[in-house]
Amino acid sequence: SLARDELIGLRARITDCTDPKWIGKSGFILDETKNTFLIEIDDQKKWIAKKIATFEFEIDGKKIIIEGSKITFRPEDRIKKVR
């Protein structure tokens, strides 16, 4: 399951968000906290709250969509908790 994997370094696209200006933006995840991702978008570093967005990751050519609210754990806890 992607939700257990390391997400830093992956390319993410925001497919849905309570703040419409984020929808469709994509970039690489630079850092992660319990509640946020730091994403580099258009050469700018932006923090986005996980719980307000749905993220699409591409792994080995497969697109995987995860609601941010389902991965609001610290990365080290998420790897243990998500099934």
Side-chain angles (χ1 to χ4, degrees):
S1 161
L2 175 66
R4 279 193 301 253
D5 292 342
E6 178 63 70
L7 300 177
I8 294 169
L10 293 182
R11 186 167 187 79
R13 190 169 75 86
I14 296 156
T15 58
D16 193 24
C17 187
T18 56
D19 182 345
K21 76 174 193 226
W22 282 99
I23 297 172
K25 300 248 188 230
S26 66
F28 288 97
I29 295 180
L30 302 175
D31 199 5
E32 178 183 9
T33 68
K34 177 180 176 191
N35 296 304
T36 62
F37 283 129
L38 179 63
I39 303 179
E40 185 172 332
I41 298 172
D42 302 326
D43 295 323
Q44 294 185 324
K45 295 178 172 114
K46 306 259 187 191
W47 287 100
I48 181 167
K50 292 177 184 175
K51 70 180 180 202
I52 67 166
T54 301
F55 300 91
E56 177 186 275
F57 299 94
E58 193 168 316
I59 308 278
D60 300 328
K62 295 187 195 105
K63 291 190 183 337
I64 299 165
I65 294 175
I66 296 181
E67 289 173 43
S69 60
K70 290 190 165 52
I71 51 174
T72 52
F73 303 106
R74 289 180 305 154
E76 59 272 26
D77 293 341
R78 173 172 49 77
I79 289 164
K80 288 182 245 164
K81 287 182 183 165
V82 175
R83 306 259 178 267

